[in-house]
Amino acid sequence: MQVAREKSRAFEQALKENIEGDVLFDRISRVLYSTDASNYQIEPIGVVLPLHSDDICAVVEIAGSFGVPIIPRGSGSSMAGQTLGAGLILDCAKYLNRIIEIDHAAKIAVVEPGVILDTLNSDLKHLGLMFGPDPASAERATIGGMVGNNATGAHSIRYGLTIDHVLATDVILQDGTTARFEALSLDAFNQRKHADGLEGKIYTRIDEIRDQYAKAIKEHWPSTWRRASGYSLNYLTGFTPGQPPVWHETSTRYPPTAGHNLAPLMVASEGTLAVLRSVTLNLVNTPSANALAILPFNSIAEAAEATPGLLKLQPDAVELIPRSIFERARAIPAYARRMGFLEGDPAAILVVEFEGEDQREASLRAAALPGAKILDHPREMADLWAVRKVGLGLLMSIPGDLKPITFIEDVAVPVEHLADYVRDVEAVLMQNDTYGEWYAHASAGCLHLRPLVNLKTSEGVTQMQEIAEAVLEITLNHKGSISGEHGDGLSHTEFNERLFGAELMQAFREVKQVFDPEELLNPGKVIPASDGFGGPGSLVSNLRYGPEYQTKEPLTIFSHRREGGFAEAVEACTGVGVCRQEHGLMCPSYQATRDEIHTTRGRANALRAAISGVLPSQALTSEQMLDVLDLCLECKGCKAECPTAVDMARIKAEFLHLYQEEHGVPLRSRLFAQINKVAAFSQPFAGVVNQVTQSPIISKIQEQLLGIAKERKLPSFSTKSFQSWFTARHSRNAVHAFNPASLILFVDTYTQYMQPEIGQDAVMVLEALGYAVEVVEGQVCCGRPLISKGLLREARASAQKNIEALSPAAYAGMPIIGLEPSCLLALRDEYLEFFPHDEGAQAIADHAYLFEEFLVRPDESGKRPIDDWGGGLEAGRAALHNHCHSKALVGSEAFTQLFGAMEIDALEIPSGCCGMAGSFGYEKEHYALSQQIGETILFPAVRDARSSGREVLSPGYSCRTQIQDSTGVSAMHPAQFLARSMRLGTAGHRTSVEDRQ
């Protein structure tokens, strides 16, 4: 053991001395890279994030000298465990993500392996080009990972597989030398045989293997063109057992990469033959127009039966989506809002896509399907594809230990066998007392399936093995491939001998031997390693959750009612890695840092390791764990966009509570958490307090004493509170009893003490629409600042007071309206976690609305409150930055409707979190990151909006503060802008109570 530790330290030191990228050998980093999106967990020796391709050469050479295996990794979203192993993880996603060249005329792109597919396609869009294969993970899938897995997607019947678009690969060979595999003339190919070193041996030996096994390839290859198993020797011989039925390039023979080119061998090799430096890709034209036809079915088998007939219509895709995905999508806010395309309650639907030269042609082709619902509006189609693409994660979002498990999820069979395959497998599942959910690529005979299995029991592990064996036999009977998309990894490698036969497996071994004679490149994948790793038993070995898995559940304040407990809330993360997307709401700290530790997945993996004993027992409340959670902005983007709705904001608050129970609460945290008390104390002396806190000398003192960034100014307070204005006004226009037109205004701390004019304008708007506005006695701060700082006992006490104060109005059916999104939404979210069985809490949650939500909420007749406005309007143009909690839990559709009803020219800035996130951006150690997050999209968009004459709107106090501090633009609350548009009040200006009366 001591020798192993010394070798590891020497290896780490050698790497640090010779490469410029990140070298991570600490325990937390090794834990974070011990899992991917598969069932497995294997802790690596260390992790390297190479800064450039020369770093990769050095890493390969150094690892070879120490005899350490290298496991290449992209975003770690592999389903079969390809990116796991007891070696050195090589993560190319952070730095090696340059698009080196785009040749528009030749339709070629040269990219580094860490380039994200969506990023590439975004850069290509203006040229009318794209990369054809489109896996559902496109927003985080790296090109290197797609090459490793031979990835494809919904449009494979038109664009085939990744292998069909790889023109050349620049690689580092196992001995540290470089090579380029590309299409060559016969003479040039033969010349390469005489190259020095390993490259010459590869050309010589692969030429021999190709000729030797050409006959066996034709005789024993699976009878489906959609394949991600084994090495791609058939592409070297030009043989294919079929082709995509709507292949886009009719003038090119299929497969298009046949000939004297070794690049196809790199595709589906899972990093076992060489390490990628760059890839040259073929590009295709983007479709001119598309339309979707939706066909409902009463069963999966019935939908599968219909698929071959649909292919005769030459569609571009035929995707199957089961009822279960729709049911789970409705439980996750970001996807529930996108379900308008579904009618009725079918057991499954087929989504049939048609391309056209223009929208009319595409729509007419779709309309030719009798009984189909047609979608041809871009937003409708985008909604459907968004739900389809997160199907896998949605299926995984089942609470409890019985989970849909990935191990036979991507079998591909000839499409004419698909219905029989479905029936045969369903019979096997019935025999094993379980069932599974089917979805995905009906057009290509590749329906994904995840049987429900409890791997935390020995019975479940046995069940998994037995089902896999039975499905393999069914697959062989239907002449299919055990993997049509997700690759071999640890799930499928042991089955390749039976899939391809002994002769072809010998060919695969010979390929591996010439490329990697020392078995240092991702050993145990595609073919078993000589030590047995990847061979028989690998399917059920090294399980993340196995019979021995146990957790120590901490005592929590939140109920974690959906998941069942803190451990289950953490385990809800399945590792699919949507949090590694480069755009969107989730995850702002990862988008800024590009570090795995700052993903939702990274945080969940670290916490799970702590509660399950992988890390020492004290790790859960350690300073190292605080560092892991530190950059979570608690934006709730994960709750909305993570397919399994991991709520890291709530988990972090719970963690901070546990941590501070042991270590105490810092003074700065107490001040921010109790901003309501600070504001209430300061407000009577607002003039003096503001003069002091806004002075330059205080900026320096606040950083030194409290750790508040000197670049920030502390909040200023209004000389009059909202309550004083409301009381004075209310006494003249008293409404002493609830009436049908009464509503409650939930007054947050920021409206009460800092910007009461927002509340005043909101009241004027609501009264102008015919409502009597009430403020209930006994209401206190919502507790959101306390929650964000982990002071959960105090937050729960505040929640209890508000439930007592607000529940009578809620029981009476009165709407409760809030102006500050995070405060109002705490009533709908965290209060139910504090009091999951409290009828008053539930009644309040059912009647609590954001200001904009309420104004467009239709009654039974379909009439909305905003429809009652009959007065004149002042023309206005606006740009909206919505609050991250509002975007996550509600969405921005209410604003869209509101501005439409008011005929306001408004656009939404496509930003995620602003970077302020309550107190986060005030804290000196977070200030730079806060600015980086804001500068990504928000700040430039704000500057553009103001320069084009648009008012900038944002409903969040911290958002408005961030915009003001960082751009100098004073953003308005939408209630202010609406009041001005309706010619009410003096929106946007601080005024005295007398002025507003």
Side-chain angles (χ1 to χ4, degrees):
M1 183 66 72
Q2 182 62 30
V3 173
R5 281 198 294 268
E6 290 177 359
K7 179 181 177 181
S8 177
R9 283 196 291 267
F11 179 45
E12 177 185 2
Q13 189 60 34
L15 290 169
K16 288 181 175 178
E17 290 173 356
N18 289 279
I19 74 165
E20 296 183 62
D22 303 341
V23 178
L24 309 173
F25 274 61
D26 62 283
R27 187 70 196 283
I28 290 288
S29 294
R30 300 201 315 268
V31 164
L32 299 187
Y33 281 87
S34 67
T35 64
D36 53 12
S38 70
N39 299 318
Y40 306 104
Q41 180 158 347
I42 303 173
E43 191 168 307
I45 292 171
V47 182
V48 166
L49 286 69
L51 185 63
H52 42 65
S53 60
D54 288 345
D55 269 358
I56 307 180
C57 295
V59 168
V60 173
E61 189 172 345
I62 294 167
S65 69
F66 278 85
V68 175
I70 291 175
I71 300 98
R73 176 173 170 132
S75 289
S77 57
S78 298
M79 302 291 176
Q82 289 93 326
T83 62
L84 303 179
L88 181 72
I89 300 291
L90 191 66
D91 181 352
C92 296
K94 180 174 181 177
Y95 299 121
L96 287 170
N97 51 27
R98 290 184 306 137
I99 298 174
I100 299 169
E101 179 186 356
I102 294 174
D103 187 331
H104 184 196
K107 296 183 181 179
I108 288 174
V110 182
V111 303
E112 290 183 322
V115 168
I116 301 295
L117 176 58
D118 267 1
T119 301
L120 173 62
N121 281 337
S122 178
D123 281 12
L124 293 170
K125 187 175 182 180
H126 75 285
L127 300 175
L129 298 174
M130 67 180 189
F131 186 64
D134 59 337
S137 57
E139 82 285 346
R140 76 255 192 212
T142 63
I143 297 297
M146 292 178 65
V147 169
N149 279 8
N150 196 16
T152 183
H155 295 86
S156 64
I157 57 172
R158 182 162 179 79
Y159 300 117
L161 316 161
T162 293
I163 195 171
D164 298 322
H165 302 273
V166 172
L167 302 177
T169 57
D170 288 280
V171 301
I172 296 106
L173 302 176
Q174 187 258 307
D175 64 353
T177 60
T178 61
R180 178 175 172 83
F181 298 134
E182 59 188 334
L184 300 170
S185 67
L186 180 58
D187 287 344
F189 188 92
N190 287 330
Q191 270 190 324
R192 297 273 178 106
K193 294 178 182 179
H194 302 293
D196 293 335
L198 185 54
E199 182 182 7
K201 293 178 183 177
I202 287 171
Y203 275 95
T204 299
R205 188 73 188 99
I206 293 301
D207 198 29
E208 295 170 350
I209 292 170
R210 180 185 59 192
D211 292 343
Q212 180 181 351
Y213 291 99
K215 183 173 182 290
I217 289 169
K218 289 185 178 181
E219 292 177 351
H220 302 303
W221 209 256
S223 297
T224 174
W225 55 269
R226 184 158 172 147
R227 172 208 58 85
S229 288
Y231 291 129
S232 303
L233 286 174
N234 66 313
Y235 274 69
L236 303 189
T237 68
F239 169 76
T240 179
Q243 71 176 57
V246 197
W247 178 242
H248 74 105
E249 191 60 73
T250 55
S251 62
T252 304
R253 72 183 294 270
Y254 188 86
T257 51
H260 302 288
N261 188 352
L262 298 190
L265 268 185
M266 299 300 100
V267 188
S269 69
E270 303 184 3
T272 63
L273 302 181
V275 180
L276 291 174
R277 298 174 70 199
S278 67
V279 188
T280 303
L281 303 172
N282 172 64
L283 306 174
V284 301
N285 295 325
T286 54
S288 300
N290 298 100
L292 303 180
I294 300 178
L295 295 169
F297 292 90
N298 295 319
S299 70
I300 301 293
E302 182 184 314
E305 198 84 62
T307 301
L310 292 171
L311 292 179
K312 296 176 182 178
L313 302 175
Q314 295 286 287
D316 293 275
V318 183
E319 292 287 288
L320 183 143
I321 310 178
R323 175 190 289 133
S324 53
I325 285 181
F326 301 135
E327 290 173 343
R328 287 167 199 148
R330 291 188 181 101
I332 298 175
Y335 304 110
R337 298 191 288 269
R338 310 187 82 160
M339 292 289 293
F341 59 83
L342 186 65
E343 293 181 350
D345 187 31
I349 64 170
L350 286 180
V351 180
V352 189
E353 182 177 86
F354 293 94
E355 184 180 330
E357 289 297 324
D358 53 34
Q359 192 59 59
R360 181 177 181 277
E361 180 185 347
S363 299
L364 285 173
R365 291 186 66 199
L369 277 178
K373 177 178 179 178
I374 308 304
L375 302 181
D376 53 13
H377 189 280
R379 180 168 181 175
E380 290 179 324
M381 292 190 286
D383 285 347
L384 185 144
W385 284 122
V387 173
R388 155 62 193 94
K389 285 186 174 184
V390 295
L392 170 62
L394 293 172
L395 291 176
M396 290 296 291
S397 63
I398 298 175
D401 292 334
L402 192 66
K403 297 286 189 184
I405 300 300
T406 169
F407 63 102
I408 53 165
E409 76 286 349
D410 66 321
V411 168
V413 299
V415 70
E416 61 270 18
H417 294 196
L418 186 59
D420 289 337
Y421 171 75
V422 167
R423 295 186 185 99
D424 291 346
V425 173
E426 286 183 340
V428 166
L429 298 184
M430 287 182 65
Q431 292 165 11
N432 283 271
D433 297 321
T434 188
Y435 66 96
E437 304 288 2
W438 299 92
Y439 73 103
H441 319 299
S443 59
C446 182
L447 286 183
H448 295 329
L449 172 69
R450 291 196 162 209
L452 270 75
V453 178
N454 182 2
L455 289 181
K456 293 180 180 178
T457 66
S458 56
E459 294 81 5
V461 174
T462 300
Q463 188 182 37
M464 177 186 184
Q465 184 75 57
E466 290 177 350
I467 292 172
E469 297 281 348
V471 170
L472 174 61
E473 289 303 317
I474 294 170
T475 303
L476 296 176
N477 290 339
H478 290 290
K479 304 183 184 301
S481 172
I482 196 68
S483 175
E485 183 171 21
H486 294 157
D488 290 327
L490 298 174
S491 294
H492 301 142
T493 291
E494 67 177 277
F495 300 127
N496 276 343
E497 182 111 22
R498 290 155 67 185
L499 177 65
F500 290 98
E503 188 174 6
L504 286 181
M505 278 301 288
Q506 178 58 30
F508 294 164
R509 290 189 182 94
E510 292 175 18
V511 170
K512 174 71 170 176
Q513 176 63 29
V514 67
F515 274 94
D516 184 23
E518 297 179 38
E519 293 188 287
L520 293 180
L521 298 178
N522 207 6
K525 320 295 165 52
V526 184
I527 64 168
S530 57
D531 64 1
F533 183 63
S538 291
L539 174 70
V540 294
S541 300
N542 299 300
L543 294 174
R544 188 193 319 182
Y545 301 111
E548 70 287 348
Y549 178 85
Q550 292 183 333
T551 60
K552 186 176 180 180
E553 184 82 26
L555 185 63
T556 63
I557 302 297
F558 287 131
S559 66
H560 303 283
R561 58 198 178 107
R562 180 177 69 91
E563 303 90 349
F566 183 79
E568 290 83 356
V570 169
E571 291 171 6
C573 174
T574 60
V576 295
V578 177
C579 46
R580 286 180 65 103
Q581 63 189 0
E582 293 187 327
H583 303 287
L585 190 53
M586 174 182 70
C587 178
S589 51
Y590 170 74
Q591 290 169 11
T593 67
R594 303 296 296 272
D595 288 325
E596 175 71 18
I597 196 171
H598 300 309
T599 62
T600 304
R601 177 175 70 182
R603 296 169 186 127
N605 278 337
L607 289 166
R608 181 175 49 77
I611 61 177
S612 65
V614 172
L615 291 173
S617 58
Q618 66 272 23
L620 179 60
T621 53
S622 66
E623 290 187 14
Q624 290 80 9
M625 195 64 68
L626 181 64
D627 290 340
V628 172
L629 275 292
D630 182 50
L631 297 191
C632 171
L633 280 75
E634 301 179 66
C635 67
K636 287 193 178 284
C638 46
K639 181 167 184 174
E641 295 182 351
C642 172
T644 53
V646 173
D647 189 347
M648 190 53 64
R650 185 198 338 138
I651 293 171
K652 179 181 179 179
E654 194 78 78
F655 161 77
L656 288 174
H657 161 72
L658 295 168
Y659 179 86
Q660 289 166 171
E661 288 273 291
E662 183 175 326
H663 299 278
V665 182
L667 175 60
R668 184 181 67 182
S669 293
R670 283 206 177 274
L671 286 174
F672 280 128
Q674 297 175 334
I675 184 64
N676 62 311
K677 293 182 179 179
V678 173
F681 174 80
S682 303
Q683 192 267 323
F685 321 104
V688 175
V689 171
N690 293 340
Q691 188 174 5
V692 172
T693 58
Q694 305 304 304
S695 66
I697 194 169
I698 289 296
S699 298
K700 296 179 181 179
I701 295 173
Q702 71 190 27
E703 181 163 296
Q704 293 171 356
L705 295 183
L706 296 174
I708 297 173
K710 63 181 182 296
E711 295 85 355
R712 297 288 187 191
K713 290 191 180 297
L714 295 174
S716 60
F717 304 102
S718 173
T719 56
K720 295 289 185 180
S721 70
F722 171 82
Q723 185 64 56
S724 64
W725 173 85
F726 186 82
T727 300
R729 194 167 191 274
H730 205 61
S731 64
R732 294 195 305 272
N733 306 294
V735 178
H736 298 293
F738 293 158
N739 65 63
S742 292
L743 55 78
I744 302 299
L745 184 66
F746 183 77
V747 185
D748 59 88
T749 294
Y750 311 101
T751 300
Q752 181 73 277
Y753 298 113
M754 300 170 192
Q755 293 186 314
E757 63 273 14
I758 293 174
Q760 295 166 15
D761 281 335
V763 170
M764 290 182 178
V765 169
L766 293 167
E767 289 181 345
L769 295 175
Y771 293 92
V773 180
E774 301 286 335
V775 175
V776 300
E777 292 185 9
Q779 182 219 298
V780 296
C781 173
C782 67
R784 163 57 61 193
L786 292 163
I787 293 168
S788 69
K789 292 303 178 187
L791 301 178
L792 299 188
R793 297 187 195 281
E794 294 92 327
R796 185 170 59 182
S798 293
Q800 181 67 68
K801 291 178 181 177
N802 281 329
I803 291 171
E804 292 172 359
L806 295 169
S807 56
Y811 286 137
M814 294 182 67
I816 300 168
I817 311 302
L819 299 171
E820 179 66 30
S822 62
C823 298
L824 186 281
L825 292 173
L827 276 60
R828 284 172 30 180
D829 194 357
E830 279 79 11
Y831 280 24
L832 296 177
E833 292 292 340
F834 285 136
F835 304 103
H837 307 298
D838 190 297
E839 293 181 358
Q842 186 62 60
I844 292 168
D846 291 342
H847 290 84
Y849 302 97
L850 294 173
F851 176 74
E852 64 275 9
E853 271 189 297
F854 175 73
L855 293 184
V856 296
R857 176 174 169 262
D859 60 19
E860 293 179 358
S861 68
K863 186 178 181 182
R864 306 170 301 178
I866 196 64
D867 295 333
D868 279 329
W869 177 248
L873 288 173
E874 180 179 313
R877 300 173 69 242
L880 170 74
H881 166 73
N882 201 0
H883 189 283
C884 53
H885 284 202
S886 179
K887 280 185 280 197
L889 302 180
V890 179
S892 299
E893 178 61 27
F895 280 120
T896 302
Q897 291 186 37
L898 180 59
F899 294 141
M902 302 298 290
E903 299 180 351
I904 292 169
D905 175 12
L907 56 83
E908 183 176 4
I909 297 171
S911 49
C913 180
C914 69
M916 182 66 93
S919 66
F920 183 90
Y922 278 95
E923 296 161 355
K924 67 175 182 179
E925 68 273 24
H926 298 146
Y927 176 76
L929 180 65
S930 168
Q931 293 301 105
Q932 184 181 350
I933 291 170
E935 199 64 61
T936 303
I937 295 175
L938 178 60
F939 299 165
V942 165
R943 297 183 192 109
D944 288 347
R946 291 301 294 140
S947 65
S948 64
R950 291 182 181 271
E951 289 283 0
V952 177
L953 311 182
S954 184
Y957 176 80
S958 62
C959 304
R960 295 191 300 274
T961 301
Q962 174 80 319
I963 291 169
Q964 175 69 55
D965 286 359
S966 306
T967 70
V969 174
S970 295
M972 299 171 64
H973 191 285
Q976 296 175 283
F977 186 74
L978 203 60
R980 190 184 72 181
S981 299
M982 298 168 73
R983 301 192 182 99
L984 304 168
T986 54
H989 304 283
R990 288 188 179 276
T991 58
S992 68
V993 172
E994 290 76 21
D995 290 337
R996 303 306 290 264
Q997 292 173 344

